[in-house]
Amino acid sequence: TTMATSKLAKLLVPPSKIAASLNWKKFNGAVLSLDIHKDRIGMAIASHPTMDDGAEALEPIYYHFQGGKLPEHTKDKLEQIVRNEKNICGVVVSWPLQKDTGHMGASCGRTMHVVEELLEDTNVFAPNRPLCFWDSEHTKPSDEDQWGRNPEYNRTSSKHEHLASVEQYNQDENVAAVEVWSDFVRVHFPQYQRMNDDDQSSEEDICEESASPSLAF
């Protein structure tokens, strides 16, 4: 609707702005990640990477569209989560582009439909809690030439057999909220991601050394 479109224009921000906001609220801020599917909304809450807490996966909210509308109980549950977690400073919404072509498909349409309903009927998104869309595939858009042509639309799938009903309409099934946040951290907080990777490698080395038999002389 017009109202939802107007609110989206005001509350949709670049991912870097949410990362900057979390940096500003390093010790008491958090980000909510959402992955929207045709029958459920997956969620995860994470604090700044320096807190070393990782992302906490929340119980998904299951729903069925009623006359093309999101059920009221689904909206209420999301609003309750936002109320309970008062320190959420941004929402990262998975943007499930088609993996093989990078184009928007039915999954993106579903995501936008749910986001617009939340914008119109809830306070899940707000000026102090903006949202961004996050493409975990990191598809790089192509520039238009002087004639307005975009080579991106000439790119086709490399698959020999393409199951549109499965891949185009269910791309979001490959996405989980915790993975969305992990990828967001890799891009916007690479220094902390490297530290976590080093810590994990050290722990693996220790485990391997402990498992190795010792030689007695």
Side-chain angles (χ1 to χ4, degrees), residues 142-151 153-154:
S142 300
D143 296 327
E144 293 182 350
D145 63 15
Q146 59 180 332
W147 306 107
R149 297 174 300 185
N150 191 330
Y153 292 101
N154 293 325

PDB file of all heavy atoms in Angstrom, residues 142-151 153-154:
ATOM      1  N   SER A 142      25.099  -5.372 -12.486  1.00  0.00           N
ATOM      2  CA  SER A 142      25.808  -4.856 -13.651  1.00  0.00           C
ATOM      3  C   SER A 142      25.306  -3.458 -13.987  1.00  0.00           C
ATOM      4  O   SER A 142      24.149  -3.122 -13.759  1.00  0.00           O
ATOM      5  CB  SER A 142      25.576  -5.787 -14.859  1.00  0.00           C
ATOM      6  OG  SER A 142      26.046  -7.086 -14.576  1.00  0.00           O
ATOM      7  N   ASP A 143      26.195  -2.642 -14.544  1.00  0.00           N
ATOM      8  CA  ASP A 143      25.823  -1.277 -14.912  1.00  0.00           C
ATOM      9  C   ASP A 143      25.136  -1.253 -16.280  1.00  0.00           C
ATOM     10  O   ASP A 143      25.468  -2.033 -17.171  1.00  0.00           O
ATOM     11  CB  ASP A 143      27.072  -0.381 -14.959  1.00  0.00           C
ATOM     12  CG  ASP A 143      27.713  -0.255 -13.594  1.00  0.00           C
ATOM     13  OD1 ASP A 143      26.969  -0.270 -12.591  1.00  0.00           O
ATOM     14  OD2 ASP A 143      28.952  -0.155 -13.530  1.00  0.00           O
ATOM     15  N   GLU A 144      24.210  -0.343 -16.417  1.00  0.00           N
ATOM     16  CA  GLU A 144      23.559  -0.158 -17.715  1.00  0.00           C
ATOM     17  C   GLU A 144      24.511   0.557 -18.677  1.00  0.00           C
ATOM     18  O   GLU A 144      25.324   1.382 -18.256  1.00  0.00           O
ATOM     19  CB  GLU A 144      22.274   0.657 -17.560  1.00  0.00           C
ATOM     20  CG  GLU A 144      21.184  -0.050 -16.788  1.00  0.00           C
ATOM     21  CD  GLU A 144      19.914   0.772 -16.712  1.00  0.00           C
ATOM     22  OE1 GLU A 144      19.971   1.964 -17.096  1.00  0.00           O
ATOM     23  OE2 GLU A 144      18.880   0.243 -16.291  1.00  0.00           O
ATOM     24  N   ASP A 145      24.388   0.246 -19.964  1.00  0.00           N
ATOM     25  CA  ASP A 145      25.196   0.952 -20.946  1.00  0.00           C
ATOM     26  C   ASP A 145      24.475   2.234 -21.361  1.00  0.00           C
ATOM     27  O   ASP A 145      23.441   2.591 -20.801  1.00  0.00           O
ATOM     28  CB  ASP A 145      25.499   0.050 -22.153  1.00  0.00           C
ATOM     29  CG  ASP A 145      24.231  -0.357 -22.908  1.00  0.00           C
ATOM     30  OD1 ASP A 145      23.165   0.261 -22.683  1.00  0.00           O
ATOM     31  OD2 ASP A 145      24.316  -1.281 -23.728  1.00  0.00           O
ATOM     32  N   GLN A 146      25.018   2.936 -22.354  1.00  0.00           N
ATOM     33  CA  GLN A 146      24.459   4.224 -22.745  1.00  0.00           C
ATOM     34  C   GLN A 146      23.065   4.102 -23.347  1.00  0.00           C
ATOM     35  O   GLN A 146      22.342   5.092 -23.453  1.00  0.00           O
ATOM     36  CB  GLN A 146      25.392   4.896 -23.763  1.00  0.00           C
ATOM     37  CG  GLN A 146      25.610   4.075 -25.037  1.00  0.00           C
ATOM     38  CD  GLN A 146      26.529   4.776 -26.016  1.00  0.00           C
ATOM     39  OE1 GLN A 146      26.592   6.003 -26.033  1.00  0.00           O
ATOM     40  NE2 GLN A 146      27.271   4.009 -26.820  1.00  0.00           N
ATOM     41  N   TRP A 147      22.679   2.877 -23.729  1.00  0.00           N
ATOM     42  CA  TRP A 147      21.355   2.665 -24.306  1.00  0.00           C
ATOM     43  C   TRP A 147      20.360   2.157 -23.266  1.00  0.00           C
ATOM     44  O   TRP A 147      19.231   1.827 -23.605  1.00  0.00           O
ATOM     45  CB  TRP A 147      21.436   1.655 -25.463  1.00  0.00           C
ATOM     46  CG  TRP A 147      22.441   2.038 -26.502  1.00  0.00           C
ATOM     47  CD1 TRP A 147      23.654   1.461 -26.731  1.00  0.00           C
ATOM     48  CD2 TRP A 147      22.341   3.112 -27.442  1.00  0.00           C
ATOM     49  NE1 TRP A 147      24.316   2.085 -27.748  1.00  0.00           N
ATOM     50  CE2 TRP A 147      23.524   3.110 -28.211  1.00  0.00           C
ATOM     51  CE3 TRP A 147      21.363   4.082 -27.715  1.00  0.00           C
ATOM     52  CZ2 TRP A 147      23.761   4.038 -29.215  1.00  0.00           C
ATOM     53  CZ3 TRP A 147      21.599   5.000 -28.726  1.00  0.00           C
ATOM     54  CH2 TRP A 147      22.780   4.974 -29.458  1.00  0.00           C
ATOM     55  N   GLY A 148      20.797   2.100 -22.000  1.00  0.00           N
ATOM     56  CA  GLY A 148      19.904   1.626 -20.948  1.00  0.00           C
ATOM     57  C   GLY A 148      19.803   0.120 -20.865  1.00  0.00           C
ATOM     58  O   GLY A 148      18.924  -0.420 -20.190  1.00  0.00           O
ATOM     59  N   ARG A 149      20.712  -0.581 -21.563  1.00  0.00           N
ATOM     60  CA  ARG A 149      20.674  -2.045 -21.528  1.00  0.00           C
ATOM     61  C   ARG A 149      21.505  -2.551 -20.357  1.00  0.00           C
ATOM     62  O   ARG A 149      22.590  -2.034 -20.098  1.00  0.00           O
ATOM     63  CB  ARG A 149      21.204  -2.609 -22.843  1.00  0.00           C
ATOM     64  CG  ARG A 149      20.359  -2.238 -24.062  1.00  0.00           C
ATOM     65  CD  ARG A 149      21.005  -2.689 -25.352  1.00  0.00           C
ATOM     66  NE  ARG A 149      22.317  -2.069 -25.536  1.00  0.00           N
ATOM     67  CZ  ARG A 149      23.060  -2.208 -26.633  1.00  0.00           C
ATOM     68  NH1 ARG A 149      22.630  -2.958 -27.621  1.00  0.00           N
ATOM     69  NH2 ARG A 149      24.234  -1.617 -26.734  1.00  0.00           N
ATOM     70  N   ASN A 150      21.013  -3.580 -19.698  1.00  0.00           N
ATOM     71  CA  ASN A 150      21.700  -4.159 -18.564  1.00  0.00           C
ATOM     72  C   ASN A 150      22.028  -5.613 -18.874  1.00  0.00           C
ATOM     73  O   ASN A 150      21.125  -6.441 -19.039  1.00  0.00           O
ATOM     74  CB  ASN A 150      20.818  -4.074 -17.310  1.00  0.00           C
ATOM     75  CG  ASN A 150      21.587  -4.421 -16.051  1.00  0.00           C
ATOM     76  OD1 ASN A 150      22.520  -5.209 -16.083  1.00  0.00           O
ATOM     77  ND2 ASN A 150      21.182  -3.844 -14.929  1.00  0.00           N
ATOM     78  N   PRO A 151      23.315  -5.957 -18.986  1.00  0.00           N
ATOM     79  CA  PRO A 151      23.688  -7.341 -19.326  1.00  0.00           C
ATOM     80  C   PRO A 151      23.267  -8.353 -18.278  1.00  0.00           C
ATOM     81  O   PRO A 151      23.241  -9.550 -18.532  1.00  0.00           O
ATOM     82  CB  PRO A 151      25.219  -7.265 -19.436  1.00  0.00           C
ATOM     83  CG  PRO A 151      25.608  -6.069 -18.634  1.00  0.00           C
ATOM     84  CD  PRO A 151      24.480  -5.097 -18.786  1.00  0.00           C
ATOM     85  N   TYR A 153      20.394  -9.013 -17.304  1.00  0.00           N
ATOM     86  CA  TYR A 153      19.186  -9.709 -17.706  1.00  0.00           C
ATOM     87  C   TYR A 153      19.438 -10.708 -18.835  1.00  0.00           C
ATOM     88  O   TYR A 153      18.543 -11.445 -19.213  1.00  0.00           O
ATOM     89  CB  TYR A 153      18.116  -8.696 -18.117  1.00  0.00           C
ATOM     90  CG  TYR A 153      17.626  -7.901 -16.940  1.00  0.00           C
ATOM     91  CD1 TYR A 153      18.095  -6.603 -16.704  1.00  0.00           C
ATOM     92  CD2 TYR A 153      16.735  -8.452 -16.038  1.00  0.00           C
ATOM     93  CE1 TYR A 153      17.663  -5.886 -15.591  1.00  0.00           C
ATOM     94  CE2 TYR A 153      16.299  -7.743 -14.929  1.00  0.00           C
ATOM     95  CZ  TYR A 153      16.767  -6.454 -14.712  1.00  0.00           C
ATOM     96  OH  TYR A 153      16.358  -5.747 -13.616  1.00  0.00           O
ATOM     97  N   ASN A 154      20.651 -10.725 -19.360  1.00  0.00           N
ATOM     98  CA  ASN A 154      21.009 -11.728 -20.357  1.00  0.00           C
ATOM     99  C   ASN A 154      21.668 -12.941 -19.717  1.00  0.00           C
ATOM    100  O   ASN A 154      21.921 -13.932 -20.387  1.00  0.00           O
ATOM    101  CB  ASN A 154      21.966 -11.139 -21.397  1.00  0.00           C
ATOM    102  CG  ASN A 154      21.287 -10.075 -22.241  1.00  0.00           C
ATOM    103  OD1 ASN A 154      20.108 -10.189 -22.534  1.00  0.00           O
ATOM    104  ND2 ASN A 154      22.037  -9.044 -22.629  1.00  0.00           N
TER     105      ASN A 154
END
